[in-house]
């Protein structure tokens, strides 16, 4: 799960592009490459970043720090117009005159533009999602306080300028929002208390070291205005917007297919995708039943799972428990030659920011590709609310049993997201630094969970404890089933084959999740339609590995395969496959 911003596709691109050096383009190798590189640079410099100042801050480009996105209807319409002009310019390039690398880059840029056009002009989430505005401006503040890329006074100065523009964003929301889905309005209301608290407590505490008294006075005024604007927005949503929120969150089969084609470069028919995932889900369920029976033949898989979920650390120990997995995972990766790890620096564990807690349990937040000063990476974990009852807390913490914690650490850090971000140091191509796909990034992280156990992680961690080895496998399978359930729920909810309530039940019954997790996951699916990319990417990577093994035979080396995969950035598997196999054979 990645940081929210005004443009989801842009947020994804920037959230995934971490730790790269400042290198604007690959060295041209074909006749058409220079013209493409020049146009791509103009696109990023003249439109991409000026149009998305928050994303620019995240990327490490700080000349836009005092600016804020234009959330007005006119701004959205002008963005659509400009995107269509850029699409025409890139579509006019003769791909036959480009090198293989540049050809892939051209596909990436065009797909990104078309994906943004889909969401802005066809799906039009800016008319239906109230959380887009309140969490959007919160994210804009967070990017200025989360990393110390400049002095407290300098960062506070640009934050004040952004905050001055935030009340107008919420005013534009009132004009733009038209009959949103009730679930979107409810999510916005669920998020808002945390956002208000964030500006009331977290933002001021981030700038306690600021020394300029005049700036502090200006900040007090601008921050108070944002807090009041959020409170007014909350009241307006509750009394005005919620009663008339009767819209449909479903984007429909046509938009779903297009989004999948643009974001992941996958054009497999939806019914075939469902069949592929159901086959994988049934395989995982069968393996789950087998391992559960080995653990305790007298209990049902559901009873064994309940025991697994009850074995979790206390709330106060959760972050330290995650932190304690790093050394063991790193040692295993190095001793078993899984993948090269480019840096010994470890990510920083911290609690998930307030504006992301309603829809994510754990995430990796890395610095942008052009950040020169604040290069810390943060491993975010969502903790249960201190005000919850013991029953609510225990149900929430069931997802953080000790075996599952290990699996999440593999996914988010070693060798998952964090290691992939470290490899971005070696990407010397501006397009690949900024654009990519979830089916690569999330697919790699999800693939890593299974791959690490296949390579013997459980035996290495618990050499004399078969019981714990099996529990580790059970935790991995539960997470795999969660991703299987996302795959089906996303497609079926957005094509009208499954209601929200049915999706919750599906997560519980078929995905083996608690009801609380099922609710959060179904909520996420309403606004993240193609979150099938976890299993989709994993299956594509497994097929790629199998095909590379078939071609290389006895010369196949797992570490070399993984290193070669990393060198492609986080491009869709279609592009990675072409680079590694030099063909356009099917990815599934």
């Amino acid at each position: 799960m990645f940081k929210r911003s005004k443009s989801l596709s842009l947020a994804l691109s920037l959230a995934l592009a971490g730790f790269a050096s400042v290198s604007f383009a690959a060295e041209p190798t074909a006749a058409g490459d220079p013209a493409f590189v020049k146009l791509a640079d103009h696109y990023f410099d003249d439109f991409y970043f000026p149009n998305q100042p928050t994303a620019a801050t995240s990327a490490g480009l700080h000349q836009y720090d005092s600016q804020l996105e234009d959330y007005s209807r006119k701004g959205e319409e002008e963005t659509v117009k400009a995107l269509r002009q850029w699409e025409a310019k890139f579509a006019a390039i003769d791909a036959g005159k480009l090198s293989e690398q540049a050809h892939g880059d051209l596909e990436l840029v065009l797909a990104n533009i078309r994906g943004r056009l889909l969401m802005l002009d066809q799906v039009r989430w800016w008319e239906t999602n109230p959380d887009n505005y309140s969490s959007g401006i919160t994210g804009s503040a967070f990017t200025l306080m989360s990393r110390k890329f400049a002095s407290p006074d300098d960062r506070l100065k640009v934050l004040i300028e952004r905050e001055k523009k935030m009340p107008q964003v919420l005013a534009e929301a009132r004009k733009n929002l038209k009959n949103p889905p009730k679930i979107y309005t409810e999510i916005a209301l669920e998020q808002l208390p945390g956002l208000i608290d964030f500006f009331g407590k977290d933002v001021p505490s981030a700038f306690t070291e600021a020394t300029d008294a005049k700036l502090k006075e200006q900040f007090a005024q601008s921050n108070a205005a944002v807090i009041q604007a959020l409170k007014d927005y909350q009241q307006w949503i509750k009394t005005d917007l919620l009663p008339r929120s009767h819209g449909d969150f479903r984007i429909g089969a046509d938009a779903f297919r297009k989004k999948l084609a643009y974001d992941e470069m996958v054009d497999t028919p939806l019914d075939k995708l469902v069949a592929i995932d159901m086959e994988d889900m049934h395989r995982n369920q069968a393996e789950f039943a087998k391992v559960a029976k080995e653990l305790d033949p007298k209990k049902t898989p559901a009873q064994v799972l309940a025991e697994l979920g009850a074995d979790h650390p206390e709330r106060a120990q959760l972050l330290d428990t995650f932190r304690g997995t790093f050394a063991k995972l790193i040692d295993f990766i190095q001793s078993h030659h899984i993948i090269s790890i480019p840096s010994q620096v470890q990510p920083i564990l911290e609690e998930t920011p307030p504006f992301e807690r309603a829809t994510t349990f754990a995430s990796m937040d890395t610095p942008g590709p052009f950040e020169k000063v604040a290069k810390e990476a943060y491993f975010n974990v969502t903790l249960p609310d201190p005000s919850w009852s013991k029953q609510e807390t225990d149900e929430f913490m069931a997802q953080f049993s000790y075996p599952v914690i290990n699996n999440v650490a593999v996914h988010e850090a070693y060798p998952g997201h964090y290691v992939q971000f470290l490899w971005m140091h070696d990407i010397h191509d501006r397009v690949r630094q900024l654009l990519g796909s979830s089916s690569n990034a999330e697919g790699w992280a999800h693939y890593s969970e299974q791959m690490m156990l296949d390579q013997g992680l459980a035996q290495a961690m618990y050499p004399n404890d078969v019981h714990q080895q099996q529990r580790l496998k059970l935790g991995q399978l539960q997470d795999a089933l969660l991703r299987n359930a996302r795959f089906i729920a996303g497609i079926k909810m957005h094509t009208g084959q499954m209601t929200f309530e049915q999706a919750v039940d599906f997560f519980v019954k078929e995905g083996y999740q608690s009801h609380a997790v099922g609710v959060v996951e179904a909520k996420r699916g309403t606004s993240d339609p193609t979150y099938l990319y976890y299993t989709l990417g994993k299956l594509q990577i497994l097929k790629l590995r199998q095909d590379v093994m078939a071609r290389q035979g006895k010369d196949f080396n797992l570490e070399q395969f993984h290193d070669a995969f990393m060198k492609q950035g986080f491009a869709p598997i279609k592009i990675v496959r072409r680079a590694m196999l030099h063909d356009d054979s099917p990815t599934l």
Side-chain angles (χ1 to χ4, degrees):
M1 183 66 180
F2 301 98
K3 294 179 290 185
R4 294 162 182 255
S5 81
K6 185 182 175 189
S7 165
L8 294 178
S9 60
L10 183 59
L12 172 63
S13 300
L14 293 167
L16 294 175
F19 279 95
S21 58
V22 180
S23 179
F24 281 15
E27 194 68 30
T29 58
D33 287 11
F36 166 72
V37 169
K38 183 177 181 180
L39 182 62
D41 280 341
H42 280 306
Y43 173 65
F44 289 123
D45 293 334
D46 300 339
F47 174 73
Y48 189 93
F49 287 121
N51 187 253
Q52 299 284 345
T54 300
T57 300
S58 296
L61 298 175
H62 296 295
Q63 62 266 45
Y64 306 99
D65 286 349
S66 64
Q67 300 176 31
L68 192 63
E69 286 75 12
D70 183 355
Y71 285 81
S72 69
R73 175 175 295 274
K74 180 181 178 182
E76 301 291 7
E77 292 172 347
E78 289 178 350
T79 296
V80 168
K81 182 180 178 181
L83 283 169
R84 295 204 182 285
Q85 293 171 345
W86 283 107
E87 179 187 21
K89 291 177 182 178
F90 281 107
I93 292 177
D94 185 352
K97 295 182 179 180
L98 300 177
S99 64
E100 184 178 78
Q101 176 88 6
H103 183 194
D105 288 353
L106 174 61
E107 289 180 298
L108 274 170
V109 174
L110 279 170
N112 178 263
I113 290 173
R114 289 163 180 164
R116 291 186 64 192
L117 280 169
L118 175 72
M119 302 313 295
L120 288 172
D121 200 35
Q122 182 174 334
V123 178
R124 300 175 74 87
W125 270 352
W126 54 279
E127 289 185 337
T128 62
N129 194 342
D131 184 56
N132 181 61
Y133 299 89
S134 44
S135 284
I137 62 173
T138 307
S140 296
F142 182 71
T143 59
L144 296 174
M145 56 179 276
S146 62
R147 289 190 171 85
K148 298 179 180 180
F149 56 82
S151 71
D153 284 347
D154 286 343
R155 288 184 294 119
L156 184 60
K157 183 177 181 180
V158 291
L159 173 64
I160 292 168
E161 293 306 309
R162 274 195 179 169
E163 285 197 330
K164 288 179 180 178
K165 303 175 179 71
M166 291 180 183
Q168 183 58 37
V169 170
L170 301 179
E172 297 296 342
R174 290 171 166 82
K175 301 175 186 176
N176 293 347
L177 290 167
K178 294 182 177 180
N179 192 29
K182 184 179 180 182
I183 187 65
Y184 286 4
T185 306
E186 290 174 341
I187 289 173
L189 285 172
E190 182 181 352
Q191 296 269 71
L192 272 160
L195 306 188
I196 294 168
D197 191 59
F198 174 77
F199 278 98
K201 297 178 181 178
D202 296 347
V203 180
S205 67
F207 294 95
T208 54
E209 297 179 4
T211 59
D212 189 317
K214 185 175 181 181
L215 276 179
K216 288 183 175 181
E217 182 180 344
Q218 292 174 349
F219 168 66
Q221 295 174 355
S222 66
N223 200 56
V226 173
I227 293 172
Q228 187 58 52
L230 284 168
K231 289 180 178 178
D232 293 343
Y233 187 58
Q234 180 183 35
Q235 184 64 22
W236 174 78
I237 290 177
K238 188 180 300 184
T239 59
D240 187 323
L241 190 64
L242 183 60
R244 56 185 176 88
S245 293
H246 305 296
D248 192 345
F249 67 79
R250 298 174 297 183
I251 66 173
D254 177 65
F256 196 101
R257 284 191 293 266
K258 289 177 180 177
K259 184 169 176 57
L260 197 59
Y262 299 150
D263 294 355
E264 314 304 333
M265 294 190 184
V266 170
D267 58 6
T268 306
L270 297 186
D271 58 346
K272 184 176 180 181
L273 286 175
V274 169
I276 289 171
D277 182 67
M278 288 301 296
E279 181 181 357
D280 188 62
M281 172 178 272
H282 291 153
R283 187 164 48 244
N284 287 329
Q285 288 172 336
E287 182 67 14
F288 189 100
K290 175 178 174 291
V291 175
K293 187 174 182 179
E294 291 171 351
L295 277 167
D296 194 333
K298 297 180 180 179
K299 294 179 179 177
T300 66
Q303 290 172 326
V304 174
L305 183 60
E307 287 187 357
L308 182 75
D311 183 22
H312 58 74
E314 294 297 320
R315 180 187 190 279
Q317 301 302 316
L318 186 57
L319 295 183
D320 284 339
T321 304
F322 269 103
R323 194 176 293 110
T325 65
F326 290 171
K328 294 178 181 178
L329 293 175
I330 292 169
D331 180 68
F332 179 82
I333 290 168
Q334 294 176 337
S335 64
H336 286 70
H337 305 287
I338 302 295
I339 189 172
S340 301
I341 301 177
S343 172
Q344 296 181 354
V345 177
Q346 297 182 6
I348 299 169
L349 264 294
E350 69 172 15
E351 187 175 1
T352 300
F355 58 96
E356 295 178 336
R357 293 173 189 168
T359 54
T360 182
F361 295 118
S363 62
M364 181 61 64
D365 178 11
T366 67
F370 310 124
E371 182 57 65
K372 297 179 180 179
V373 180
K375 296 188 175 182
E376 303 87 357
Y378 297 98
F379 186 153
N380 298 322
V381 177
T382 303
L383 304 180
D385 192 306
S387 67
W388 287 355
S389 67
K390 185 180 185 304
Q391 180 179 346
E392 290 174 314
T393 299
D394 286 344
E395 187 175 36
F396 181 91
M397 289 295 291
Q399 70 189 304
F400 288 135
S401 65
Y402 287 103
V404 171
I405 284 174
N406 183 86
N407 198 56
V408 173
V410 167
H411 181 102
E412 299 293 346
Y414 294 102
H417 291 316
Y418 183 62
V419 170
Q420 186 170 37
F421 299 144
L422 291 176
W423 268 89
M424 294 299 290
H425 277 297
D426 293 331
I427 302 299
H428 303 293
D429 177 330
R430 198 180 190 189
V431 173
R432 299 287 174 103
Q433 287 177 317
L434 294 169
L435 305 181
S437 70
S438 294
S439 52
N440 183 312
E442 293 294 1
W444 164 257
H446 187 33
Y447 158 85
S448 294
E449 301 166 16
Q450 179 178 324
M451 178 271 297
M452 288 282 278
L453 288 182
D454 289 345
Q455 296 302 310
L457 177 63
Q459 292 83 352
M461 293 192 71
Y462 304 105
N464 301 311
D465 193 336
V466 176
H467 186 79
Q468 283 295 89
Q469 293 172 16
Q470 292 171 320
R471 286 164 61 85
L472 203 59
K473 178 62 176 176
L474 206 65
Q476 181 265 322
L477 286 167
Q478 186 189 16
D479 274 353
L481 288 168
L482 167 65
R483 277 55 174 268
N484 286 132
R486 285 175 179 166
F487 198 118
I488 302 300
I491 292 176
K492 292 197 170 184
M493 278 201 298
H494 283 275
T495 56
Q497 303 173 66
M498 184 180 282
T499 65
F500 177 86
E501 291 75 18
Q502 288 171 333
V504 174
D505 289 342
F506 189 80
F507 276 106
V508 174
K509 295 176 181 177
E510 302 294 336
Y512 297 1
Q513 305 299 311
S514 70
H515 185 268
V517 172
V519 170
V520 172
E521 290 293 339
K523 283 181 180 178
R524 176 179 171 182
T526 63
S527 59
D528 189 5
T530 53
Y531 67 161
L532 52 75
Y533 39 66
Y534 294 85
T535 300
L536 177 66
K538 181 187 80 170
L539 295 177
Q540 290 183 102
I541 296 170
L542 285 170
K543 186 177 187 300
L544 174 62
R545 189 181 75 185
Q546 181 181 16
D547 292 345
V548 172
M549 288 177 68
R551 181 171 296 187
Q552 295 181 347
K554 62 182 178 61
D555 295 326
F556 177 81
N557 180 284
L558 186 66
E559 185 175 35
Q560 290 175 5
F561 169 77
H562 290 155
D563 288 359
F565 186 89
M566 289 293 105
K567 290 177 182 177
Q568 297 304 314
F570 59 105
I573 306 302
K574 175 183 176 181
I575 292 177
V576 177
R577 187 179 182 88
R578 185 189 301 153
M580 295 180 69
L581 290 173
H582 303 290
D583 64 33
D584 282 310
S585 52
T587 63
L588 286 170

